[in-house]
Amino acid sequence: MGYDFEAIERKWEKEWEENDTYATNIRDFSKPKFYVLDMFPYPSAVGLHVGHVEGYTATDALSRMKRAQGYNVLHPIGYDAFGLPAEQFAIKNNQNPAIYTDQNIDNFRRQLKRLGFSYDWNREVKTTDPSYYKWTQDIFLRLYEKGLAYEDYRLVNWCPALGTVLANEEVIDGKSERGGFPVERRPMKQWVLKITAYAEKLLDGLNTIDWPASTLTMQKNWIGKSKGTVCIFSVVDHEENIEVFTTRADTLFGCTYVVLAPEHPLVKKLTTKEQEKAVEEYQKIVASKSDLDRTDASKEKTGVFIGSYAINPINGKKVPIYIGDYVLATYGSGAVMAVPCHDQRDYDFAKKHGLEMIQVIEGDVSTAAFEEVGVHINSSFINGMHNEEAKKAITDKLIELNKGRYQINYKLRDWLFSRQRYWGEPIPILHDEEGNTYPVPYQDLPLKLPEMEDYKPTGDGRPPLSKAPKAWLYVNVDGKKLERETNTMPQWAGSSWYYARYIDPHNENAIGEKELLDHWLPVDVYVGGAEHAVLHLLYARFWHKFLHDEGIFKSSEPFQKLFHQGLILGADGQKMSKSAGNAVSPDDVIKEYGADALRFYEMFKGPVDQSMPWSPDGPKGAKTFLDRVYRLYSEDTYKAKWTDEDVKELEYIYNYTIKKCTEDYEILHFNTGLAQIMILVNELYKAEKLPKKILLALAQLLAPVVPHLGQELYTLLNNKGMIEETPWPKVNEAALSNQPVTYAIQVNGKVRDTIDFEKDASEDKIEELKQLALASEKVKNFTEGKTIVKVIVVKNKIVSIVVK
RNA sequence: GCCCAGAUGGCGGAAUCGGUAGACGCGUCGGACUCAAAAUCCGAUGGUAGCGAUACUGUGAGGGUUCAAGUCCCUCUCUGGGCACCA
């Protein structure tokens, strides 16, 4: 049977709703602030899934503990509501995606409230709201004014059959996901944000934030700073030079050819008549390939000779020029010097095309390239030198010859910022017929998305907004007819600054009031999936740093501490999805076991950052435990044992549980904290007397994870008001010391006995312990007749006896 | 292919400044209560051998370092996340 979760949970949810219990007093600077944030959800039609519940429960529990600890907590929620599914729904049903989006949001809100999350509902934001995207557009204009937003031709996935541009996700093996039509990569004029201007700042900032090491590494690798050398190759019979970036200038004497990206601007000029046809055909093939395919080292290296020759600047050697798809136009200078003996890709390419190979570092190159560093050979003046020394010698020589320079290069590319879609923020730019661009004046923001007749793609590659009503599309400024930009922003835009809007969500004159932004930023704890380790988290950092430079944000990083939550997989271990039929809806679980049982299960089942399969019996087990707790507060048998006195035998576990939970919750290790609570509850069941002090603390320690039940237990103890108003329980350290410790006694690494001994024993006592250990019968069985080589004592842990 | 993680009983996991592997829970088995069942309470539970004390074995695979390795080093396998227009 168990407690009536439905009645209890509804009762307290009503109370919280009516009293607006979790509204943040944003101007109360008297208490220390604590800003806990979830990555806001995309409001899909299927509603919240149990994966959301995990991360949201973790932040909710942390928020609740922090409130009880005396912090002024900001814990908001919103919706990342622009996106592809809404647009596709709109196209299919010829309905404004805003309607669909709002329906989904209503459903999300209902679910979030039913889970008892302590969000401040007065601060809800959605990225599709004009009062919100007014500021997204404002930030874009600022970037534009600072020269950080520019137009350029970029390759996009163009599907001629569908007459539309596709997202990478919509392209599978070079074919469109819908219909399986061929997709080609075609250059189109796009808005691009100059994130590369912030490469160094984004890199430096990583040292100042408390993020998982793996995420820091991924961001660092993504930015991809490398120090190297630019070598300038002149071209035989041409004026042009080819610039090549390399981190292995030391191998320049081994360069036997040069490879340009097929899109390299010089290809056309340097291709000879004879090679023209082959080059064009090759370029056409490459156009259908993604970068991923092109850089896959396991695939065959293809390419063609373009007919011209370059001159190796270090030795004057004449080397052929190729184009090859494994060279990307977007990295370095879009050209590489090929050193077959010391780069595997060049090795494969050279073998295939029968090109010359010169070994310049000692090592085995008979079956594969030797990519290590080593002693140089066949390299004129650097023979005998080692890697770094050789790089410097070569680069210095190139500089002297005016054929090179040191250069720092980044893998990071500028951010392709426009989309050929309807359901996104309009880009506030106007164009004239000469190709000039003009910003929409700030006072005209927000530039609202126009209502449209249909949302279908135009078929010719122009964005849907080019079909917008003429009244929207054309503007007269000073007698000049200007046309609006019809591309929209990517979904990343709205999510790059939303954390700041929660602080002052209704401000019509600014992103937020300066004093409030200064006080509340950065976010103290941010929780979201590891799949955002690079893109979202890098884009948001970029905008934050830009707005910092604009004087809007005082802090230089948006998210001080970051945790990732893992995926919750289906019971079959596969990713949950509608099509796999393994998805679990929180609604169903709540109906059967209650929100608290769901929350408890998700926090108890394992570390928040780990992916793990859903266990259908899990919430049931959680409910069983919660019933067990409830009985201590509600059944006469147990109530008869309540006492105002302390029980000495329970003091240690009481204090240890407070300590363990407080520490574990702080770092989101709820599973181990809750395990300790279970141990305490098991002890309470065995106890003769139940100190009310412990029952209160137990309710408090549970309340962050199971807030409805926590509040109910608090009330059953005859308390009035909200449980979080009672300060978080404190640890009496004295009760934790003077506990004896158990030493394990090992002989040759195997445990043979254990001895209880005093904690933190002095040197003399340690000697006593050694003798005690050696005297143990169980130990003697293994030491008898052998020589004792040494005895190692690790304080409070182990006595290790080594015998021969 | 590149970058980043992970692999521990029947299951989820605990233990990582190297120090008693399997905390806690699920499941299973046994007991109490009950006419019976459910619920509840109590207990057992990595594997092998043994009535038992106990012994051996055991943290994806193979090597190595160490008095001591789930933890450190090398090689490998598999799984997951990301790869710039999914969010």
Side-chain angles (χ1 to χ4, degrees), chain A residues 37 39-41 79-82 127 132 136 415 417 425 490-500 526 532 535-537 539-541 543 558-559:
Chain A
L37 184 65
M39 286 185 187
F40 62 170
Y79 310 95
D80 190 13
F82 279 123
T127 53
Y132 178 88
T136 312
W415 175 8
F417 196 71
E425 300 89 344
Q491 196 164 16
W492 306 112
S495 62
S496 290
W497 71 281
Y498 74 107
Y499 57 90
Y526 192 36
H532 296 291
L535 296 179
H536 159 62
L537 287 168
Y539 293 150
R541 291 183 61 225
W543 275 29
F559 315 116

Side-chain angles (χ1 to χ4, degrees), chain A residues 186-243:
Chain A
R186 148 173 161 180
M188 281 177 68
K189 204 173 194 186
Q190 306 280 331
W191 283 96
V192 184
L193 299 189
K194 212 184 235 169
I195 190 172
T196 51
Y198 277 76
E200 202 60 40
K201 283 184 180 177
L202 288 167
L203 200 55
D204 286 345
L206 295 175
N207 298 321
T208 67
I209 49 183
D210 188 10
W211 286 17
S214 57
T215 310
L216 293 174
T217 307
M218 273 192 272
Q219 290 225 344
K220 195 175 160 212
N221 292 345
W222 188 266
I223 295 166
K225 180 177 183 173
S226 58
K227 291 176 190 171
T229 303
V230 169
C231 310
I232 300 167
F233 286 65
S234 51
V235 183
V236 177
D237 298 331
H238 283 86
E239 294 290 301
E240 286 78 12
N241 289 322
I242 295 172
E243 293 203 350

Side-chain angles (χ1 to χ4, degrees), chain A residues 396-434:
Chain A
D396 288 346
K397 183 72 181 173
L398 289 174
I399 291 168
E400 190 188 315
L401 295 168
N402 210 14
K403 288 283 184 192
R405 60 180 183 270
Y406 288 104
Q407 184 158 309
I408 288 170
N409 223 22
Y410 299 92
K411 277 211 183 74
L412 183 68
R413 313 205 291 252
D414 278 340
W415 175 8
L416 178 53
F417 196 71
S418 44
R419 300 289 184 270
Q420 293 71 55
R421 306 205 182 277
Y422 171 77
W423 194 229
E425 300 89 344
I427 293 175
I429 291 290
L430 296 160
H431 299 267
D432 67 13
E433 281 171 4
E434 288 85 53

